[in-house]
């Protein structure tokens, strides 16, 4: 009996400030086969962010041209900026057998699940609202209006968590990374993801 | 945000001789919360088997009385003997929040999945037919007719593996036990198994 694996698309969401970026960095270090889908955005880079690493940064005009050319799997406007998932690169990675992680907001996640029914969706659940606010303030890259907007959004997003396949708590970074690794590993054991060649005799 | 877990029913199948018994023993040692559902059978105990441990051994007449009294979730005849899953004890364990493992044949597994749609089904996949035959011969508890019948059944069962949720290979005992432990752990992270209390503020 032989198995043939194909790549799994992992959709990851969670409120701003929950630590998705750090979790993803650790996952990429830990799992050799895992790649990330880098989104395109029109928002300004934060300190230390590199073009092509956290995001592909572009202007609004170019973003809208990409939309016209159907270069996105999905895109959305959020806090006045556009965010989009580039189609070709993601499909290439999946076809190559890589698992691909895609950090995306709740609405984007639903759009992706409609297109890829076999994608798995993971919601990283937060600690308390106070801790979340504290983390956002410490990050220092958002003003008060932006922080409040992000917290209100977080509250709404948590209500959406039940629509995800899995919920993982990010109380302890190491445990969170370990949990997501296990989810990916176990998803590869699902019979629906395997092709069989039964050897007779 | 609080979580409330309830017990998960784990249906485990695989061809005779694949080592299900050993795997289950290791799982029960490893996972404190895991209990086993002991089946009732009319077959003769093998050397070393204890009543109430591997099986509850009974005679045909008593078995049929239990059938009449609706004491089984499902039952079946296999190689001339009856096997049944006692209902009350299994439900009590699940209600107590225990995960319960149930070793059962392919047809029994389908019956159980009809009753418990949230049960997870795991198929332990074999090595080659030769190795399987070798193991059955080494066990010394089956005659040649029984061995051939078991091997034919194994072939049919492997074809059914695709209808299970998960496929785990038992090439290496430790890895097999580890894989099944991870499946159970990850299933507990599924949002459909969680109850939420979202704490505001």
């Amino acid at each position: 009996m032989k198995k043939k694996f194909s790549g799994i698309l992992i959709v990851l969401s969670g409120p701003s400030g929950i630590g998705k970026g750090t979790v993803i960095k650790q996952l990429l270090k830990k799992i050799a086969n895992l790649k990330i889908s880098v989104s395109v955005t029109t928002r300004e880079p934060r300190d230390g962010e590199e073009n092509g690493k956290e995001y592909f940064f572009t202007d609004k005009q170019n973003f809208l041209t990409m939309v016209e050319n159907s270069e996105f799997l999905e895109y959305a406007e959020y806090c006045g900026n556009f965010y989009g998932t580039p189609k070709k690169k993601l499909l290439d990675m999946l076809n190559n057998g890589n698992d691909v992680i895609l950090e995306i907001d709740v609405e984007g996640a639903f759009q992706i699940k409609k297109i890829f029914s076999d994608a798995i969706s993971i919601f990283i659940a937060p600690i308390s609202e106070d801790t979340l606010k504290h983390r956002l303030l410490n990050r220092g890259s958002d003003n008060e209006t932006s922080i409040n907007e992000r917290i209100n959004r977080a509250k709404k997003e948590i209500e959406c968590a039940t629509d995800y396949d899995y919920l993982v708590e990010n109380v302890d970074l190491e445990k969170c990374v370990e949990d997501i690794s296990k989810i990916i590993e176990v998803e590869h054991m699902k019979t629906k993801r395997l092709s069989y060649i039964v050897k007779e005799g």
Side-chain angles (χ1 to χ4, degrees), chain A residues 130-181:
Chain A
D130 287 345
T131 314
L132 189 62
K133 192 163 187 174
H134 185 73
R135 283 199 192 176
L136 284 168
L137 283 167
N138 271 358
R139 192 158 80 177
S141 59
D142 308 274
N143 59 35
E144 202 179 334
T145 317
S146 166
I147 286 179
N148 286 334
E149 199 173 338
R150 279 173 192 278
I151 284 179
N152 284 332
R153 198 177 170 83
K155 279 188 186 174
K156 269 192 211 154
E157 285 194 331
I158 293 161
E159 286 168 24
C160 297
T162 44
D163 293 318
Y164 281 68
D165 297 322
Y166 296 99
L167 183 137
V168 171
E169 277 180 296
N170 190 16
V171 178
D172 172 64
L173 172 68
E174 211 169 306
K175 175 77 166 60
C176 179
V177 170
E178 187 69 27
D179 282 350
I180 297 176
S181 308

Side-chain angles (χ1 to χ4, degrees), chain A residues 8-201:
Chain A
I8 298 177
L9 179 59
I10 301 125
V11 171
L12 192 74
S13 303
S16 278
I18 189 74
K20 295 189 292 292
T22 317
V23 167
I24 289 172
K25 264 181 211 153
Q26 295 293 324
L27 283 169
L28 291 169
K29 267 192 208 163
K30 195 179 161 83
I31 309 170
N33 179 48
L34 186 68
K35 303 273 182 197
I36 188 166
S37 167
V38 179
S39 298
V40 179
T41 184
T42 60
R43 87 147 162 73
E44 291 296 312
R46 291 188 197 129
D47 279 353
E49 284 185 338
E50 281 173 50
N51 189 40
K53 201 172 173 196
E54 286 82 4
Y55 285 99
F56 291 107
F57 296 99
T58 190
D59 59 26
K60 201 170 163 179
Q61 196 183 350
N62 187 46
F63 192 97
L64 294 174
T65 307
M66 291 177 79
V67 171
E68 271 176 36
N69 295 339
S70 307
E71 291 180 41
F72 293 119
L73 266 181
E74 62 76 44
Y75 70 97
E77 200 180 345
Y78 165 45
C79 298
N81 295 305
F82 284 99
Y83 295 80
T85 306
K87 185 157 45 184
K88 191 180 175 305
K89 197 154 188 201
L90 192 149
L91 295 180
D92 284 349
M93 290 188 287
L94 288 174
N95 286 334
N96 285 341
N98 288 113
D99 294 334
V100 181
I101 200 156
L102 174 62
E103 185 202 326
I104 200 164
D105 73 314
V106 170
E107 273 142 62
F110 294 154
Q111 286 191 49
I112 295 290
K113 278 286 265 188
K114 270 189 209 161
I115 306 167
F116 290 96
S117 59
D118 269 357
I120 56 169
S121 57
I122 302 175
F123 192 88
I124 303 190
I127 42 320
S128 73
E129 187 183 324
D130 287 345
T131 314
L132 189 62
K133 192 163 187 174
H134 185 73
R135 283 199 192 176
L136 284 168
L137 283 167
N138 271 358
R139 192 158 80 177
S141 59
D142 308 274
N143 59 35
E144 202 179 334
T145 317
S146 166
I147 286 179
N148 286 334
E149 199 173 338
R150 279 173 192 278
I151 284 179
N152 284 332
R153 198 177 170 83
K155 279 188 186 174
K156 269 192 211 154
E157 285 194 331
I158 293 161
E159 286 168 24
C160 297
T162 44
D163 293 318
Y164 281 68
D165 297 322
Y166 296 99
L167 183 137
V168 171
E169 277 180 296
N170 190 16
V171 178
D172 172 64
L173 172 68
E174 211 169 306
K175 175 77 166 60
C176 179
V177 170
E178 187 69 27
D179 282 350
I180 297 176
S181 308
K182 280 182 190 169
I183 289 172
I184 297 171
E185 199 180 336
V186 160
E187 281 285 335
H188 275 295
M189 296 180 210
K190 283 205 171 154
T191 53
K192 68 170 181 181
R193 302 195 189 276
L194 304 174
S195 308
Y196 297 86
I197 303 160
V198 179
K199 193 180 151 250
E200 296 276 310

